[in-house]
Each structure stands twice: as structure tokens, then as C-alpha cells.
């Protein structure tokens, strides 16, 4: 039913606003994958990477439950951490997140702006 619908927007790395439609209980990262938005999610939501890093709209940030300690630890590894940083795999949609915008960072640990991944050394 419409009560279940939660519309959110992802701003992708090239600045495109992608409006997508989820429902209460959806995981924001997996929802993005369903719409081919390039959120990585290398560890499949097991809090063992930080490639699903996003910035949350200020006005919605406090509506998301506080991060677990494991999420905080992972966020510490994210390049370009900001006060409104979260891991998208830990954001579960609910009705009061209707209209939220999530912005992808310019870089994550695995993805560089030009798509070049440095060789391991
Ligand atoms: Fe790895 Fe979110 S997918 S921490």
C-alpha cells in the first residue's frame, strides 16, 4: 500500500539526482543496487568494508538510529569522512525518511573518481 512507500534520492558521483522508490524496511544500499546506482557494498552489509559510504541530508541524519560501534570503526576508514557520513547498508527505510537524499562520496576505498583502482603493493 502507499503507506509503505518511501521515496528517496541518490546523488551519484557525476551529480545526477536519481529519485528512487523503496518501501518501509528496505535497506538503502540494496535498494540502490536494484536501480543500478553505483554504491559498492563490497562486504554485503557485514560491516567489513566502508565502500557503501554515503552522506545523509542534515535534516534526516538524526532520524536514522545511531551507528553501532562496528559502523563507527568502518567509517573511520572512509576517505573524506564528514559529520553526516553513514554506511548505506545500515540505513533501513522508514516512513519518516520519506524525501531523504543520500549523496555518494567522490571517493571510496576501492573506487577512485576516474575509475582507476591503484595496484596493491
Ligand atoms: Fe560493507 Fe556496508 S557494504 S560496510
Amino acid at each position: 500500500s502507499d503507506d509503505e512507500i518511501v521515496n528517496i534520492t541518490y546523488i551519484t558521483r557525476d551529480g545526477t539526482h536519481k529519485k528512487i522508490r523503496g518501501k518501509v524496511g528496505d535497506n538503502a544500499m540494496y535498494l540502490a543496487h536494484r536501480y543500478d546506482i553505483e554504491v559498492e557494498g563490497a562486504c554485503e552489509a557485514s560491516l567489513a568494508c566502508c565502500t557503501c559510504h554515503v552522506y545523509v541530508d542534515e535534516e534526516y541524519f538524526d532520524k536514522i538510529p545511531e551507528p553501532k560501534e562496528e559502523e563507527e570503526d568502518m567509517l573511520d576508514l572512509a576517505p573524506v569522512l564528514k559529520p553526516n557520513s553513514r554506511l548505506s547498508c545500515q540505513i533501513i527505510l522508514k516512513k519518516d525518511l520519506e524525501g531523504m537524499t543520500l549523496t555518494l562520496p567522490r571517493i571510496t576505498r576501492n573506487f577512485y573518481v576516474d575509475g582507476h583502482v591503484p595496484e596493491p603493493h
Side-chain angles (χ1 to χ4, degrees), residues 29-43:
M29 180 185 82
Y30 288 116
L31 182 66
H33 290 175
R34 291 215 290 277
Y35 286 88
D36 286 330
I37 294 168
E38 72 273 51
V39 182
E40 279 182 59
C43 79

Side-chain angles (χ1 to χ4, degrees), residues 5 7 10 17 20 33 51 74 82 85 90 92-93 101 104 110 112 116 121:
I5 302 285
N7 296 289
Y10 267 94
H17 287 55
I20 65 176
H33 290 175
T51 62
M74 278 300 129
K82 295 185 185 178
S85 287
Q90 303 301 306
I92 303 302
L93 297 190
T101 297
L104 297 186
N110 294 343
Y112 287 72
H116 172 74
H121 35 245

Side-chain angles (χ1 to χ4, degrees), residues 45-104:
S46 61
L47 284 173
C49 76
C50 57
T51 62
C52 63
H53 179 203
V54 292
Y55 305 120
V56 180
D57 269 355
E58 305 277 315
E59 60 175 302
Y60 291 91
F61 189 78
D62 290 336
K63 296 179 176 167
I64 300 172
E66 299 263 307
K68 298 191 245 188
E69 203 177 312
E70 293 91 327
E71 181 178 346
E72 301 271 20
D73 291 347
M74 278 300 129
L75 278 169
D76 285 342
L77 303 175
V80 205
L81 191 67
K82 295 185 185 178
N84 61 335
S85 287
R86 290 298 299 258
L87 296 179
S88 60
C89 74
Q90 303 301 306
I91 300 175
I92 303 302
L93 297 190
K94 50 186 182 136
K95 210 51 209 172
D96 63 353
L97 297 182
E98 167 68 30
M100 172 175 69
T101 297
L102 301 175
T103 303
L104 297 186

